Amino acid sequence: MSRAVVFEEYGGPDVLKIVDVEPPKPGPGQVRVRVKAAGVQPFDVKQRRGDTASWAPATFPQGGGSEFAGVVDELGEGVREFAVGDSVLGPTSGTAHAEHALAKATNLVPKPGGMPWEEAGALSASGQTAHTALQALSVGAGETVLIHAATGGVGSVAVQLARAWGATVVGTASERNHDYLRELGATPVTYGDGLVSRVRDAAPGGVDVVLDAAGTEEAIQASTELLPERERIGTIAGQEYAERYGIRVLGTERSAERLVQLVELYETGALRVRIDAVFSLDEVADAHRAVEAGHVRGKVVLTGTA
Ligand SMILES: NC(=O)c1ccc[n+]([C@@H]2O[C@H](COP(=O)([O-])OP(=O)(O)OC[C@H]3O[C@@H](n4cnc5c(N)ncnc54)[C@H](OP(=O)(O)O)[C@@H]3O)[C@@H](O)[C@H]2O)c1
């Protein structure tokens, strides 16, 4: 048998339970992976609460987890990319918070030998979102990028990617995270009243691009005051304000090529994955509470099997 996190009704963290299930069978093109570590994201929390019911409804019993790292232990028909025993990382849809997960083989990449499991399991979702967003906004060398919620899962990767692509970064965070933001290579700015003038002080030459991962009206309104070109302002979290302020809503495009770029950057040392907290599968409700509180620095991770 295999253990998996599921919920059978929308609600608070206590609706999450661990159940024993038959290990899932990989379909054509899929691999089954023994999960070593899997990231917990705001999406997992929002889906469990029912916030995503209109566009990503739960199918009860619903699992969780969109990113993981682990060891391939069964191949579906036609899989040529990996062999049993390979260490991999990548995305899956709602099955990663479990001892076994299924994933499309062509979405996965080899895990670098020196990369800790927790970091490997937390790279792909936030990493691919940050990469997709900065690419969609055409961030280039010499530009100044403002990133709202720069110390979260997506923001932390976005800051480092923008730096690696030659941009200067101003990032918003509470003061307790300013040293962390400086370590990532950004100039920190506190969010809240007076945000616009603080960003102007931090970026006297102006801002060329904005990526919003905070999703607040404050962040989006400030962005439009700072940058008249609305097509260079994108949000991944503030869909409800995007139309009113005329800015772009950005999604995530997953591909192994994108993931390979992130892994290569990791191997050069230009990209770190900061792990804020690690929980066991049995502590999944606490992991959700940590993410739900909204102040994760980097990533929260569940460990699967030893
Ligand atoms: N569209 C997509 O494809 C997609 C994909 C992934 C994520 N998302 C969404 O993007 C958002 C960010 O995801 P994430 O994984 O990065 O979240 P996260 O890791 O939970 O973000 C936590 C960070 O948010 C910061 N923060 C909290 N309140 C803030 C505020 N009012 N202004 C600025 N920063 C604030 C915190 O900094 P302090 O602790 O310093 O306050 C903390 O570091 C979520 O809403 C998520 O659902 C969308």
Side-chain angles (χ1 to χ4, degrees):
M1 296 297 273
S2 178
R3 303 170 79 229
V5 174
V6 297
F7 59 100
E8 303 200 49
E9 58 180 318
Y10 292 125
D14 293 334
V15 300
L16 298 165
K17 1 184 235 192
I18 312 278
V19 293
D20 285 321
V21 293
E22 287 295 326
K25 293 299 283 180
Q30 289 185 322
V31 292
R32 189 178 69 200
V33 176
R34 209 162 162 77
V35 178
K36 294 286 192 181
V40 182
Q41 297 176 265
F43 175 81
D44 298 311
V45 168
K46 291 175 185 178
Q47 191 181 41
R48 184 257 297 153
R49 288 198 304 231
D51 300 355
T52 68
S54 62
W55 55 276
T59 309
F60 301 122
Q62 174 69 46
S66 307
E67 58 183 358
F68 71 95
V71 179
V72 173
D73 81 344
E74 194 170 321
L75 304 180
E77 193 189 317
V79 171
R80 304 272 175 271
E81 292 81 3
F82 297 105
V84 169
D86 284 351
S87 296
V88 295
L89 66 90
T92 187
S93 325
T95 65
H97 296 168
E99 288 181 344
H100 291 92
L102 297 180
K104 196 172 159 189
T106 52
N107 282 342
L108 304 180
V109 299
K111 181 188 88 66
M115 191 176 199
W117 285 111
E118 288 82 2
E119 297 182 20
L123 173 67
S124 67
S126 311
Q128 299 216 67
T129 300
H131 191 288
T132 307
L134 293 181
Q135 201 173 53
L137 292 166
S138 306
V139 169
E143 294 194 307
T144 298
V145 183
L146 170 63
I147 299 176
H148 295 285
T151 50
V154 176
S156 294
V157 178
V159 168
Q160 296 173 84
L161 273 183
R163 295 286 294 134
W165 295 353
T168 298
V169 181
V170 175
T172 71
S174 60
E175 270 168 38
R176 71 178 190 98
N177 276 324
H178 283 198
D179 283 344
Y180 169 62
L181 257 186
R182 284 188 198 98
E183 279 169 35
L184 294 181
T187 302
V189 165
T190 306
Y191 55 80
D193 281 352
L195 174 60
V196 169
S197 65
R198 282 193 295 278
V199 173
R200 287 198 174 118
D201 289 345
V207 165
D208 302 300
V209 179
V210 184
L211 170 58
D212 166 52
T216 60
E217 184 165 16
E218 170 191 85
I220 291 171
Q221 185 173 25
S223 303
T224 57
E225 280 183 50
L226 288 158
L227 181 60
E229 293 169 78
R230 306 286 163 104
E231 72 279 5
R232 298 211 77 196
I233 305 175
T235 185
I236 59 164
Q239 287 83 347
E240 68 265 52
Y241 305 116
E243 195 176 341
R244 188 180 333 152
Y245 289 94
I247 66 161
R248 295 172 64 186
V249 174
L250 304 171
T252 307
E253 286 167 18
R254 293 171 175 171
S255 72
E257 293 71 29
R258 204 182 288 286
L259 209 40
V260 164
Q261 285 183 40
L262 292 165
V263 169
E264 283 174 356
L265 212 54
Y266 179 91
E267 290 189 289
T268 69
L271 176 62
R272 289 167 46 197
V273 182
R274 189 191 184 276
I275 305 301
D276 196 348
V278 179
F279 295 90
S280 69
L281 216 50
D282 291 303
E283 297 168 324
V284 61
D286 287 334
H288 270 234
R289 285 186 192 100
V291 173
E292 198 158 19
H295 297 285
V296 170
R297 182 189 291 169
K299 296 287 292 187
V300 167
V301 178
L302 281 184
T303 47
T305 51

